[in-house]
Amino acid sequence: MNPLTIGLTPFERPDAKLATAWALAGGLAVLDLGRDRDAGLEALRRVTKRARGPFGVRIPEGSAWTHADLPDSVNTVMLPAGADVASFPGRTVAVQVVSVAEGRAALDAGA
């Protein structure tokens, strides 16, 4: 078994430095894109340039990020419960749930 360590930038802030450090350390870095689109785009640019490999993003509930917004280096997308898991083809999709019901619904939706 190969354990997977995920580093998620906290507080719905696109922290490019933390995500890059996590990626360079060998974990799966997940950059929270936050609610400020310009800050999220800048952080995506920075992590893509510095991480030297694939990383993930977390898309907050109610935000309008799409598959086309993400660079090819994003291989994992973390979505809120109830989001359309099929809207990010070719990428690993994880769903953040906070109840058994949300977990079941995510599995039923294809997560």
Side-chain angles (χ1 to χ4, degrees), residues 15-65:
D15 187 334
K17 285 184 180 182
L18 182 57
T20 299
W22 196 260
L24 292 174
L28 172 60
V30 178
L31 174 70
D32 193 316
L33 295 176
R35 299 192 180 274
D36 179 335
R37 186 169 180 82
D38 291 337
L41 287 169
E42 177 61 19
L44 270 174
R45 186 190 66 73
R46 287 182 179 181
V47 176
T48 298
K49 180 179 177 181
R50 296 179 183 152
R52 296 186 231 129
F55 63 97
V57 296
R58 178 184 175 274
I59 298 178
E61 187 172 6
S63 61
W65 293 91

Side-chain angles (χ1 to χ4, degrees), residues 2 7-9 15 17 20 28 33 42 44 46 56 61 64 73 76 78 97-98 102 107 109:
N2 289 331
L8 172 63
T9 60
D15 187 334
K17 285 184 180 182
T20 299
L28 172 60
L33 295 176
E42 177 61 19
L44 270 174
R46 287 182 179 181
E61 187 172 6
S73 54
T76 303
M78 183 177 289
V97 300
V98 296
E102 285 183 352
L107 290 172

